[in-house]
Amino acid sequence: MSVQSYFLSQFNTAPTFSAIAPGRLEFIGNHLDYNGGPVLGSAIDRYVTVAISPRDDNRVVLVSEAQSERVEATLDGIVPLKGAASWGNYPLGMFSVMRDAGLRATHGFNLAVANDLPIGAGLSSSAAIELASGYALSALYGFPVDRKSIAILGRAAENTFVGMPCGILDQGCSSFGKAGALVLIDCTKNEFSTRPMPVGTHFWVFNTQKKHALIDSFYATRNKECMESAAILKSANPALANLSVATEAEVEAAADALGPVRHKRALHVVRETARVLDTLEALVAGDTARVGKNLTASHESSRTLFENSCEELDFLVGLVTALPGVFGARLSGGGFGGAVMALTDGTFTAAAADRLAAAYAAKFGKPPAIFHTRTGDGAALLKN
Ligand code: GLA
């Protein structure tokens, strides 16, 4: 159902504005964003759409096709929610950070969400809801945003309202994505640009549908370990801007001070940064085989140094990289479950993906969800 029809069915009136935002894939640059590194990702051609209209009172009512819980709040009582209502934290978080940034609301709103982007598939449906809600709210209240400010607001909503200490990868890709392109983000300067996707390549995504129960605390722990590592390296080199610009020699010289765990995390960050830079060169040179090698090496580093992989992800990467037509594969996103992304040529078929899914199911009892996706365009307000 279109978001307009869904809105009508829920609120008995047509929406005033609607907006769209895509999911994303992390191409390479695992856990580099909050370390100030360069990351490459892309928007994909699966979207969240949001429709909105004003209310006469000071209430906020949120509905989602994908959620059973209707969320209600008042303008003076916008606080993070728990349990089944917590999906509402993405639109509410956007509203909250936009109001902090100067949006003035004298009346409430009705908002409806429709998804053709699967939730919990490692494709960042949360960033997509944030950006689509952000564009809808911007139109409704006459609060100007652009591609950059909305990505920054989306990250702020995650950090300060949802409570997830993420970087800007997800929101940056959903905002700046372009069909046929990868998104490059310099996470120190918050600079966004695009690079052409290697010609003739495809994305295949295998989602384990496994989400570690402690995923949020694992992510926060990695973030903390990286910040501590940066502080330790900075005591030796006060000019160091962040962990991603440290050299491997600096990390080795500080091995004792770092201790074994932070030493591994820091090595991952500096080597992964080098891999992103090498991937950029390989893309310019049209050397897709080298791009693919970097993808698989990135996974290996996540597995052994950053320790954010799991048996299911490792199994999928091992299987898929042994198949013809596959340039490389890696876990895409936070890790501890979630999805593997493979970069393939046009000879990789759905039949090969199905065989892989069967081998996975024989080992883990349940097949992974398979998506053959393409790069897509970034978030935008829709013409009603
Ligand atoms: C999640 C976060 C991103 C990024 C990746 C790991 O997707 O939301 O900000 O840190 O994990 O690279």
Side-chain angles (χ1 to χ4, degrees), residues 16-36:
T16 317
F17 298 104
S18 50
I20 188 162
R24 69 92 185 92
L25 277 177
E26 175 186 291
F27 191 70
I28 191 164
N30 196 231
H31 285 256
L32 291 191
D33 55 0
Y34 58 80
N35 283 304

Side-chain angles (χ1 to χ4, degrees), residues 24 26 29-34 39 124 164 166-171 219 308 333-335:
R24 69 92 185 92
E26 175 186 291
N30 196 231
H31 285 256
L32 291 191
D33 55 0
Y34 58 80
V39 295
S124 215
M164 158 80 171
C166 65
I168 202 156
L169 168 80
D170 306 342
Q171 293 80 12
Y219 187 95
N308 61 329

Side-chain angles (χ1 to χ4, degrees), residues 120-122 206-211 310 313 316 332 335-340:
F206 301 92
N207 179 34
T208 61
Q209 309 189 73
K210 188 189 152 187
K211 199 175 168 187
C310 61
L313 293 169
L316 285 168
S332 177
F336 311 108
V340 161

Side-chain angles (χ1 to χ4, degrees), residues 200-216:
T201 55
H202 296 237
F203 288 138
W204 286 84
V205 179
F206 301 92
N207 179 34
T208 61
Q209 309 189 73
K210 188 189 152 187
K211 199 175 168 187
H212 200 289
L214 296 176
I215 189 162
D216 292 345

Side-chain angles (χ1 to χ4, degrees), residues 38-41 173 182-186 191-195 276 280:
V39 295
L40 271 169
C173 290
L182 293 167
V183 179
L184 172 65
I185 310 176
D186 174 331
E191 276 175 8
F192 306 83
S193 55
T194 55
R195 297 288 183 275
V276 176
L280 287 168

Side-chain angles (χ1 to χ4, degrees), residues 30-366:
N30 196 231
H31 285 256
L32 291 191
D33 55 0
Y34 58 80
N35 283 304
V39 295
L40 271 169
S42 85
I44 59 169
D45 60 353
R46 301 285 290 258
Y47 293 87
V48 167
T49 43
V50 161
I52 202 167
S53 70
R55 291 179 60 98
D56 297 335
D57 57 15
N58 75 339
R59 299 192 69 73
V60 171
V61 180
L62 314 173
V63 294
S64 166
E65 249 186 343
Q67 307 284 345
S68 52
E69 188 98 353
R70 172 182 273 246
V71 173
E72 304 212 15
T74 54
L75 288 181
D76 50 8
I78 305 286
V79 289
L81 305 169
K82 290 202 172 70
S86 60
W87 72 267
N89 288 338
Y90 303 110
L92 292 179
M94 274 317 266
F95 178 74
S96 174
V97 295
M98 288 169 83
R99 197 161 54 175
D100 290 348
L103 178 150
R104 289 197 54 232
T106 51
H107 58 80
F109 60 91
N110 292 330
L111 182 148
V113 182
N115 284 53
D116 90 310
L117 175 67
I119 296 173
L123 301 171
S124 215
S125 60
S126 51
I129 297 184
E130 286 155 8
L131 267 62
S133 301
Y135 273 111
L137 289 164
S138 152
L140 188 71
Y141 292 108
F143 179 76
V145 289
D146 57 27
R147 285 192 190 280
K148 181 165 174 170
S149 64
I150 204 157
I152 291 171
L153 286 164
R155 179 189 179 190
E158 287 278 351
N159 292 169
T160 64
F161 197 87
V162 178
M164 158 80 171
C166 65
I168 202 156
L169 168 80
D170 306 342
Q171 293 80 12
C173 290
S174 185
S175 190
F176 283 86
K178 215 172 84 186
L182 293 167
V183 179
L184 172 65
I185 310 176
D186 174 331
C187 300
T188 299
K189 298 188 190 139
N190 272 346
E191 276 175 8
F192 306 83
S193 55
T194 55
R195 297 288 183 275
M197 261 294 272
V199 178
T201 55
H202 296 237
F203 288 138
W204 286 84
V205 179
F206 301 92
N207 179 34
T208 61
Q209 309 189 73
K210 188 189 152 187
K211 199 175 168 187
H212 200 289
L214 296 176
I215 189 162
D216 292 345
S217 71
F218 278 140
Y219 187 95
T221 304
R222 288 297 175 277
N223 184 313
K224 186 164 164 275
E225 288 162 350
C226 289
M227 296 309 132
E228 288 168 359
S229 303
I232 290 168
L233 294 181
K234 233 177 162 147
S235 59
N237 172 9
L240 191 78
N242 57 55
L243 189 55
S244 92
V245 293
T247 62
E248 205 164 319
E250 280 178 301
V251 173
E252 290 310 343
D256 286 348
L258 288 166
V261 171
R262 284 184 293 243
H263 178 243
K264 283 198 268 188
R265 308 300 185 247
L267 268 187
H268 166 82
V269 169
V270 300
R271 290 182 183 165
E272 183 77 347
T273 301
R275 270 187 292 272
V276 176
L277 300 178
D278 188 72
T279 300
L280 287 168
E281 279 179 28
L283 286 168
V284 172
D287 189 347
T288 312
R290 183 167 138 208
V291 171
K293 280 204 185 85
N294 280 328
L295 300 182
T296 309
S298 163
H299 182 80
E300 190 55 15
S301 179
S302 298
R303 186 177 79 78
T304 57
L305 294 175
F306 212 68
E307 296 177 296
N308 61 329
S309 188
C310 61
E311 207 192 340
E312 289 86 347
L313 293 169
D314 297 341
F315 184 79
L316 285 168
V317 168
L319 278 189
V320 76
T321 51
L323 294 175
V326 178
F327 293 109
R330 57 183 296 277
L331 72 85
S332 177
F336 311 108
V340 161
M341 174 217 74
L343 181 72
T344 75
D345 66 21
T347 66
F348 188 84
T349 58
D354 287 344
R355 279 197 298 278
L356 192 151
Y360 180 94
K363 186 163 166 70
F364 296 106
K366 199 174 144 199

